[in-house]
Amino acid sequence: MKRILAIAALAVCAALLFTLPAFADMLIRLTSGQVLTVPVNKMDIESISFSGGGAVPVSNVTYLSDLEPNSSTVGWGSMERDIFAGRYKIRLGGQEYQKGLHTHSPANVVYNLGGKFSRFESYVGLWDSGNPNRGKSDDFAGTKGSVVFRVLGDGRELFNSGRMTWEATKQVSVSVAGVQTLTLIVEDAGDGYGWDWAVWGDARLLR
């Protein structure tokens, strides 16, 4: 029974860990009242275990919106995480995503992966308001935007969406094995950056 409870506690610890920011302090309170403070970077954690036995691997999924980029520049406003325009959900092609990024073109966002991940996955496109009157006066999303999404790994192009308008959604799934630096780029497709509400739905890294 004690072993089962220990494993259950470990599972809870692993789940709670991934609600934290990328860098945080883990506080361990002992029965003596002493509190141990352990600084952690959750990207570095492979599993949580006790010397008495039992180990729980942490989630193999890390969402980019939970990480701090090395740098980020966008063409309008600032990069947004898990939200669009300060209050709307990330939405593409009628599908809502709880996690994701809004990077209005022209955008360049850089993450340090340190060679710790195997794949990068996301859905990309221009934000979908869900308004059936899209492009009319009551829908600020518009229909004029066009962008190109690019993904670079250590400066090498891993993905290029080609020119996309608001009707399209594309899936990204590329290997980032051994990649140190991941760069997400959104270009304005040569026609200016008006209405270029570029979003990365469910943008995530897999171990």
Side-chain angles (χ1 to χ4, degrees), residues 24-30 33-40:
D25 287 339
M26 179 183 291
L27 304 181
I28 303 172
R29 186 177 298 277
L30 306 180
Q34 182 183 6
V35 177
L36 306 179
T37 301
V38 183
V40 295

Side-chain angles (χ1 to χ4, degrees), residues 8-150:
L10 285 167
V12 171
C13 288
L16 289 175
L17 176 66
F18 275 80
T19 66
L20 298 174
F23 294 90
D25 287 339
M26 179 183 291
L27 304 181
I28 303 172
R29 186 177 298 277
L30 306 180
T31 55
S32 64
Q34 182 183 6
V35 177
L36 306 179
T37 301
V38 183
V40 295
N41 176 358
K42 67 183 181 184
M43 289 176 62
D44 293 332
I45 297 175
E46 189 171 281
S47 66
I48 301 172
S49 61
F50 290 128
S51 59
V56 176
V58 298
S59 172
N60 68 340
V61 176
T62 299
Y63 290 96
L64 290 189
S65 58
D66 292 334
L67 301 179
E68 287 293 335
N70 285 20
S71 63
S72 64
T73 58
V74 298
W76 182 84
S78 59
M79 185 186 81
E80 296 181 295
R81 309 180 201 192
D82 304 333
I83 200 167
F84 174 83
R87 57 189 175 126
Y88 300 101
K89 291 185 179 294
I90 299 291
R91 184 181 172 99
L92 288 168
Q95 175 69 45
E96 289 186 351
Y97 298 90
Q98 297 300 314
K99 308 292 291 182
L101 305 173
H102 168 219
T103 56
H104 195 288
S105 84
N108 186 293
V109 184
V110 179
Y111 292 91
N112 179 25
L113 304 189
K116 299 171 184 174
F117 298 93
S118 63
R119 298 198 72 77
F120 169 66
E121 297 181 346
S122 184
Y123 295 91
V124 297
L126 295 179
W127 182 70
D128 173 19
S129 65
N131 190 332
N133 296 320
R134 179 160 188 154
K136 297 183 180 180
S137 59
D138 61 345
D139 181 22
F140 70 86
T143 58
K144 299 179 181 178
S146 64
V147 295
V148 176
F149 291 86
R150 299 173 63 209

